[in-house]
């Protein structure tokens, strides 16, 4: 098995020629190459956040399983942290702080998911998230229309809002906030989702009930819960193609008329980062964080 050295760490990488995505012929080696190229931007968004893995070792058509626990065989040099789960039990999770650790995780073939809080203050969020999920026949084009409304509404409350594709069907909107208990963030986000449904009844639903969702955008506020996670920026997704949860501009959202306009795979990201930089960089700029409405100093 090939052994490589990254940042002074010896790492075994396996089956680099294995095709993970038959639809595009994309190999595991190409996925690892993508993560190596994108490590700088990705690690900034993973910093000090516990990582959950959606593992798909045989590709998206094979077995998939979600885990928060530290995988067996994790090297001692990969940072881990003990955290109290909702059940009251303590669990240990991985925290990816450097390129070597990221490449170790990528070799497991994973989607990377994080909560909205950091390990130094569990359950206290420093960002707010909305998952805009279209119910067929609605598409990401419908999500873009809802995203524009949501951005204007949150801007009226003094919040800065940034966007990325989910890498699946929809959009994620994120706002940097001053540290706030996750329950309070969830309550505020739920209120906004209900307001959106009232203002856009033909487009938006705020409840998860499947019978309500066809043709509408489900505005999922629940990922602000301390116990929940969201796909990290720049993670590769376990979909038919190696799609990426990709930061996008508000102009791209406004101009979207076809789902293909906001469909990005691993080969698209380097050029986008060269052109735009990290569009989600303001999320980690403390000067952009604003107090949650109702909690102003």
């Amino acid at each position: 098995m090939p052994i490589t050295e990254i940042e002074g760490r010896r790492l075994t990488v396996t089956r680099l020629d294995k095709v993970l995505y038959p639809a595009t012929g994309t190999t595991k080696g190409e996925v690892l190459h993508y993560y190596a190229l994108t490590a700088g931007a990705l690690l900034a968004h993973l910093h000090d956040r516990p990582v959950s893995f959606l593992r798909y070792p045989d590709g998206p058509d094979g077995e998939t399983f979600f885990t928060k626990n530290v995988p067996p065989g994790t090297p001692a040099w990969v940072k881990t942290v003990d955290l109290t789960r909702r059940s009251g039990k303590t669990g240990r999770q991985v925290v990816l702080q450097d390129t070597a650790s990221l490449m170790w995780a990528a070799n497991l073939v994973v989607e990377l998911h994080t909560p909205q809080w950091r390990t130094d203050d569990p359950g206290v969020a420093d960002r707010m998230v909305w998952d805009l999920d279209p119910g067929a026949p609605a598409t990401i084009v419908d999500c873009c229309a809802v995203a524009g409304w949501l951005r204007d509404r949150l801007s009226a409350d003094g919040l800065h809002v940034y966007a990325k594709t989910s890498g699946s069907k929809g959009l994620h909107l994120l706002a940097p906030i001053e540290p706030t208990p996750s329950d309070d963030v969830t309550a505020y986000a739920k209120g906004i989702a209900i307001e959106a449904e009232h203002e856009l009844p033909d487009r938006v639903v705020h409840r998860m009930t499947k019978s309500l969702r066809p043709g509408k955008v489900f505005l999922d506020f629940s990922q602000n819960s301390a116990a929940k996670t969201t796909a990290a920026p720049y993670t590769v997704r376990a979909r038919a193609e190696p799609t990426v949860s990709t930061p996008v501009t508000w102009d791209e959202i406004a101009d979207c008329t076809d789902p293909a306009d906001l469909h990005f795979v691993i080969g698209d990201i380097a050029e986008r980062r060269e052109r735009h930089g990290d569009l989600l960089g303001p999320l980690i700029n403390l000067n952009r964080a604003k107090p949650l409405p109702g909690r102003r100093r």
Side-chain angles (χ1 to χ4, degrees):
M1 290 185 290
I3 296 177
T4 188
E5 185 170 306
I6 302 173
E7 298 176 333
R9 306 292 190 184
R10 289 171 60 82
L11 179 66
T12 300
V13 291
T14 57
R15 305 183 70 182
L16 296 180
D17 59 350
K18 180 179 182 178
V19 174
L20 290 179
Y21 295 89
T24 56
T26 305
T27 65
K28 182 179 177 181
E30 290 173 307
V31 173
L32 264 63
H33 180 66
Y34 162 78
Y35 275 118
L37 288 177
T38 316
L42 176 52
L43 286 168
H45 293 287
L46 299 178
H47 188 72
D48 284 347
R49 297 184 193 274
V51 178
S52 300
F53 297 136
L54 176 66
R55 297 186 62 180
Y56 56 112
D58 294 317
D61 295 330
E63 180 184 6
T64 63
F65 53 99
F66 194 81
T67 179
K68 291 187 175 183
N69 296 324
V70 176
T74 298
W77 44 264
V78 173
K79 181 177 178 179
T80 60
V81 62
D82 286 319
L83 295 166
T84 301
R85 304 270 168 82
R86 185 191 301 187
S87 64
K89 295 181 179 180
T90 298
R92 196 155 188 83
Q93 286 187 242
V94 167
V95 185
L96 300 176
Q97 300 287 75
D98 51 54
T99 302
S101 298
L102 174 63
M103 297 309 296
W104 160 79
N107 185 62
L108 298 177
V109 188
V110 295
E111 287 184 1
L112 303 171
H113 294 247
T114 61
Q116 312 314 316
W117 47 266
R118 297 176 180 269
T119 55
D120 59 353
D121 208 356
V124 177
D126 63 353
R127 61 181 59 169
M128 186 174 353
V129 64
W130 284 265
D131 180 3
L132 281 64
D133 186 8
T139 68
I140 197 171
V141 177
D142 300 278
C143 293
C144 289
V146 175
W149 180 93
L150 192 58
R151 180 199 190 194
D152 291 344
R153 175 62 186 83
L154 296 172
S155 295
D157 273 354
L159 299 172
H160 300 292
V161 187
Y162 305 92
K164 64 185 180 76
T165 67
S166 67
S168 179
K169 299 178 295 181
L171 286 175
H172 294 158
L173 301 190
L174 303 109
I177 57 174
E178 293 180 357
T180 305
S182 294
D183 286 350
D184 292 350
V185 180
T186 303
Y188 169 80
K190 180 178 181 179
I192 295 293
I194 292 171
E195 186 177 334
E197 183 176 319
H198 177 75
E199 293 292 323
L200 304 170
D202 295 332
R203 287 189 178 270
V204 173
V205 61
H206 83 279
R207 287 173 288 174
M208 193 176 292
T209 307
K210 288 187 177 180
S211 61
L212 300 175
R213 294 173 60 179
K216 295 187 178 182
V217 175
F218 171 42
L219 193 52
D220 186 0
F221 57 86
S222 70
Q223 291 179 29
N224 291 289
S225 166
K228 292 198 174 185
T229 61
T230 304
Y234 301 107
T235 190
V236 184
R237 302 301 304 267
R239 306 296 171 185
E241 298 181 7
T243 53
V244 174
S245 186
T246 305
V248 292
T249 69
W250 283 104
D251 283 344
E252 287 177 306
I253 289 174
D255 293 341
C256 180
T257 58
D258 187 284
D261 294 341
L262 294 181
H263 178 84
F264 304 108
V265 295
I266 56 175
D268 299 322
I269 306 305
E271 187 274 334
R272 287 185 60 81
R273 287 187 56 221
E274 183 176 347
R275 180 167 18 124
H276 297 297
D278 179 11
L279 291 168
L280 296 184
L283 286 176
I284 49 181
N285 181 347
L286 295 180
N287 292 329
R288 304 296 285 175
K290 298 298 180 182
L292 193 72
R295 295 179 60 89
R296 298 187 184 280
R297 300 179 206 166

